[in-house]
Amino acid sequence: MTTDNIKEETQSLNFLEEIIEQDIAAGKNGGRVHTRFPPEPNGYLHVGHATSICLNFGLAVKYGGKCNLRFDDTNPVTEETEYVDSIINDVRWLGFEPANIFYASDYFPKLYDFAVDLIKKGFAYVDDSTAEEIAALKGTPTEPGKPSPYRDRSVEENLDLFERMRKGEFAEGTKTLRAKADMTSPNMIMRDPLLYRIKFAHHHRTGDDWCIYPMYDMAHGQSDSIEHITHSICTLEFVPHREIYDWCIEKLGIFPSKQYEFARRNLSYTIVSKRKLLKLVNEGHVNGWDDPRMPTISAMRRRGYTATAIREWAKRIGIAKRENLVDLSLMEFFVREDLNKIALRAMAVLDPLKVVITNYPEGKTEFLETENNPEDPNGGTRQMPFGRELWIEQDDFMENPPPKFFRLSPGTLARLKSAYIIQCDEVVKDADGKPTELRCTYFPESRSGSDTSGLKPKTTIHWVSAPHAIPAEVRLYDRLFTVEDPANDERDFLELINPDSLKVVTKAMLEPSLASGTPGDKYQFLRLGYFTVDTDSTTEKLVINRTVTLRDAWSKAKG
Ligand code: ATP
Ligand code: MG
């Protein structure tokens, strides 16, 4: 997808906005718009969830409505409080405040009452069949199912058995509550779906209060209805559930929430499945859920992505009815665009080479005024120390330069950014012939802003004053996978991990203004990219993450 056709796609209303505007115009629900974002707290949120958050909260904002955060915590086995906390934090960090924070588990008593109501109305029954027996009678998409031998139990018997299920009288797997829907429906999900199962498991919120838990079809739509959600937006895999969603609401006679579906968003060179992400974490392929290479919201935050960039990206890609892979470069485009506005400019040398300016007085330091951010009129300035000994980038020097190399080499000139022009006179080398120090002269009349030297160097390079430099560890990240779509590759996704996704530079030298940097601070290191201070930083050691390079090297390489 190119940036251009995305623009076209999003200029008009998307299909959900059209539905909502029609509903408002028709006075449906009194013109009220109420959405929800319903994560299951079984992992950290990823970039796919971010699109769903931006969509649900964005619609509420756009139409003066509300959006709830609801934890779909009906499965006691996989859920944890750690995930709940991280999800709340991520939603707020993205810039959205839930109208309410609710838990489906708080509705367990109410959902139980709903189930009893369905039984009383003859729309649910207790089935003693095993999972295999149920599957055997289910039929196939082209062949109708057959009724369970327990389908015609009396209401009284069903009420009694269901209550005893709740009391814990029956073992796991021996009984279920099923909807008495339509065993001949072409929609397999309508063939008497399970509503409740027995599970003797401790729940992260309700503890051991329950030993029966509602299934998705007995929980999701009902929770929407309890909250008077008007537009329940989910991803396409729930299309076949829409019929039972409506069926339950109709049979129960409760608030008629409506379900709408959109396509999942997947980002290239990564995966968005909590199960696979959990595997990456548990098997140590990455260093935790917030490892900056991960596609989780917490990892993107730690890597230095901004909430603004993610929101703008989500807005730009819009929504679709068919699944597609969104190019990671587009996300990086929005990250650069935002960081360009807000990141402080600084100089850092990742692979330092010493420069000694032989005609600069020993012991002298001058302070050169430098803009913090030329893109920000209120960005202010800082004083950069300059002296006789500096660090420059190894890459910016070549002793025997090829014809197109315009950086520093013996006898050539280079401008030191915001400072002076220097000339390299002599190269000091170690026993292996590797340059260890450049002895240079500077031109005092060439100071930036008041240059009267008349010299025209072909290059400007960055530098850091050696005695003032702050050593740091810099982590350079690349894509986590070597192929565009690791989730749909015939090879196992673990085989497709990019072995070079993390490079650690241990001896970087940063300009002294970084001394006050705290985790989350964002910088543009001149000529190198956008960087942020990592949470691993201590008072002894700064750790810096590269958020994104200045330009998109991958797209260029692909041609
Ligand atoms: P995963 O497959 O990663 O475990 P999930 O769908 O099981 O995701 P939930 O916690 O159930 O995760 O998802 C919460 C909401 O986020 C749901 O409405 C779901 O449809 C939506 N969502 C999940 N993944 C994506 C995605 N890749 N793109 C858009 N929306 C998504
Ligand atoms: Mg799920």
Side-chain angles (χ1 to χ4, degrees):
M1 207 185 244
T2 67
T3 316
D4 277 353
N5 61 33
I6 286 165
K7 257 188 204 151
E8 262 168 42
E9 227 179 66
T10 51
Q11 266 163 4
S12 54
L13 290 183
N14 68 47
F15 67 90
L16 289 172
E17 291 169 336
E18 274 171 18
I19 291 167
I20 290 175
E21 295 199 1
Q22 281 162 14
D23 288 349
I24 292 173
K28 212 167 158 188
N29 302 312
R32 203 169 51 83
V33 174
H34 201 155
T35 56
R36 87 286 171 266
F37 172 66
E40 186 181 349
N42 61 351
Y44 281 68
L45 296 181
H46 53 61
V47 63
H49 295 117
T51 63
S52 179
I53 294 170
C54 291
L55 176 64
N56 280 295
F57 283 91
L59 289 170
V61 170
K62 179 163 181 177
Y63 296 106
K66 289 181 181 169
C67 181
N68 293 347
L69 170 59
R70 180 172 71 240
F71 290 100
D72 228 339
D73 57 351
T74 54
N75 181 358
V77 187
T78 52
E79 293 155 5
E80 287 178 33
T81 308
E82 174 197 346
Y83 298 137
V84 168
D85 296 340
S86 81
I87 289 170
I88 296 174
N89 186 35
D90 286 349
V91 169
R92 290 198 169 129
W93 177 76
L94 272 178
F96 300 109
E97 186 55 41
N100 303 284
I101 298 179
F102 288 140
Y103 296 81
S105 57
D106 288 349
Y107 306 143
F108 283 164
K110 196 140 196 178
L111 297 175
Y112 181 84
D113 291 344
F114 284 163
V116 168
D117 191 35
L118 286 178
I119 293 172
K120 284 184 180 160
K121 289 173 173 165
F123 293 123
Y125 62 97
V126 174
D127 196 334
D128 298 0
S129 308
T130 61
E132 293 73 31
E133 285 163 351
I134 291 176
L137 293 178
K138 199 108 210 213
T140 66
T142 50
E143 226 180 285
K146 294 193 186 75
S148 155
Y150 306 95
R151 199 173 197 260
D152 289 320
R153 275 182 161 148
S154 69
V155 168
E156 290 66 37
E157 191 182 2
N158 281 321
L159 284 174
D160 173 60
L161 289 173
F162 188 53
E163 195 186 338
R164 288 166 58 199
M165 277 169 68
R166 182 201 173 154
K167 283 186 182 151
E169 290 185 22
F170 307 115
E172 275 182 26
T174 59
K175 283 187 171 46
T176 54
L177 184 74
R178 295 180 70 182
K180 197 169 181 176
D182 181 1
M183 286 307 289
T184 63
S185 170
N187 178 355
M188 298 284 287
I189 294 201
M190 288 307 286
R191 297 184 187 173
D192 291 11
L194 299 195
L195 301 180
Y196 265 91
R197 60 177 172 160
I198 299 170
K199 192 108 208 154
F200 289 90
H202 188 85
H203 185 279
H204 77 119
R205 281 173 66 86
T206 58
D208 297 315
D209 291 355
W210 295 85
C211 63
I212 56 171
Y213 288 94
M215 306 299 288
Y216 177 85
D217 294 317
M218 187 60 212
H220 199 88
Q222 293 76 354
S223 303
D224 285 340
S225 178
I226 291 169
E227 295 173 18
H228 286 207
I229 299 301
T230 57
H231 299 82
S232 173
I233 299 161
C234 59
T235 37
L236 285 176
E237 70 271 24
F238 293 103
V239 168
H241 291 264
R242 195 195 316 135
E243 202 176 341
I244 192 75
Y245 182 106
D246 290 338
W247 185 92
C248 285
I249 283 177
E250 187 212 312
K251 300 302 180 215
L252 289 166
I254 54 180
F255 179 82
S257 297
K258 286 280 169 203
Q259 173 182 310
Y260 304 92
E261 308 86 12
F262 75 109
R264 276 178 182 261
R265 289 305 200 177
N266 302 327
L267 203 57
S268 63
Y269 297 99
T270 192
I271 44 172
V272 284
S273 147
K274 278 184 280 193
R275 188 177 52 80
K276 288 181 180 165
L277 296 177
L278 186 65
K279 200 159 176 180
L280 290 177
V281 173
N282 285 347
E283 293 184 6
H285 301 287
V286 294
N287 304 314
W289 282 102
D290 67 345
D291 182 310
R293 291 167 293 178
M294 290 279 274
T296 57
I297 296 178
S298 47
M300 295 192 287
R301 172 170 62 238
R302 181 170 169 192
R303 180 161 172 165
Y305 285 19
T306 64
T308 307
I310 297 171
R311 285 197 311 266
E312 289 298 316
W313 169 80
K315 207 188 288 174
R316 181 69 69 88
I317 62 171
I319 55 167
K321 286 186 180 172
R322 247 186 315 143
E323 279 204 25
N324 65 2
L325 204 58
V326 182
D327 199 338
L328 179 62
S329 310
L330 190 71
M331 169 72 90
E332 293 183 340
F333 167 84
F334 284 103
V335 171
R336 287 189 190 98
E337 193 173 72
D338 190 36
L339 290 178
N340 184 41
K341 290 185 204 134
I342 63 167
L344 296 175
R345 272 48 174 178
M347 290 206 264
V349 173
L350 298 188
D351 188 9
L353 172 62
K354 177 69 80 58
V355 164
V356 177
I357 302 176
T358 52
N359 62 338
Y360 196 90
E362 252 173 89
K364 177 178 168 180
T365 301
E366 64 187 297
F367 289 89
L368 307 171
E369 186 164 36
T370 311
E371 269 184 297
N372 287 330
N373 183 355
E375 298 289 321
D376 178 0
N378 304 316
T381 59
R382 69 189 184 287
Q383 301 293 328
M384 284 270 293
F386 180 88
R388 186 180 155 92
E389 298 203 359
L390 312 171
W391 298 111
I392 67 163
E393 212 69 67
Q394 287 274 2
D395 270 2
D396 281 335
F397 173 78
M398 268 185 112
E399 194 180 7
N400 300 300
K404 290 260 156 63
F405 186 86
F406 295 122
R407 288 173 247 173
L408 198 58
S409 52
T412 67
L413 301 173
R415 162 155 314 273
L416 297 173
K417 172 77 184 161
S418 305
Y420 297 93
I421 295 170
I422 57 168
Q423 172 179 304
C424 174
D425 305 317
E426 189 191 338
V427 187
V428 182
K429 289 181 273 192
D430 64 14
D432 303 325
K434 190 177 180 248
T436 53
E437 184 180 305
L438 305 179
R439 300 187 69 80
C440 301
T441 41
Y442 88 119
F443 299 88
E445 67 284 8
S446 68
R447 184 167 157 160
S448 282
S450 55
D451 181 4
T452 55
S453 70
L455 299 169
K456 296 265 175 289
K458 287 211 167 79
T459 187
T460 299
I461 62 178
H462 59 273
W463 54 276
V464 171
S465 164
H468 301 92
I470 301 174
E473 174 178 319
V474 177
R475 299 175 182 167
L476 305 174
Y477 299 104
D478 204 341
R479 320 197 148 181
L480 188 51
F481 291 95
T482 51
V483 299
E484 235 177 344
D485 194 2
N488 290 305
D489 197 281
E490 68 242 14
R491 288 160 293 179
D492 185 68
F493 75 104
L494 295 176
E495 287 171 38
L496 304 171
I497 295 178
N498 176 6
D500 300 318
S501 61
L502 169 62
K503 257 188 233 134
V504 181
V505 171
T506 51
K507 292 198 177 67
M509 293 291 176
L510 316 181
E511 69 162 70
S513 70
L514 267 287
S516 58
T518 53
D521 285 357
K522 295 175 173 58
Y523 297 92
Q524 185 197 88
F525 290 166
L526 292 175
R527 301 172 69 220
L528 297 178
Y530 293 100
F531 292 77
T532 189
V533 180
D534 187 71
T535 44
D536 279 347
S537 297
T538 61
T539 42
E540 282 83 50
K541 189 174 109 185
L542 263 184
V543 178
I544 305 283
N545 295 322
R546 183 173 68 195
T547 308
V548 65
T549 53
L550 283 180
R551 274 170 284 280
D552 181 359
W554 276 67
S555 286
K556 249 193 290 167
K558 275 197 296 180

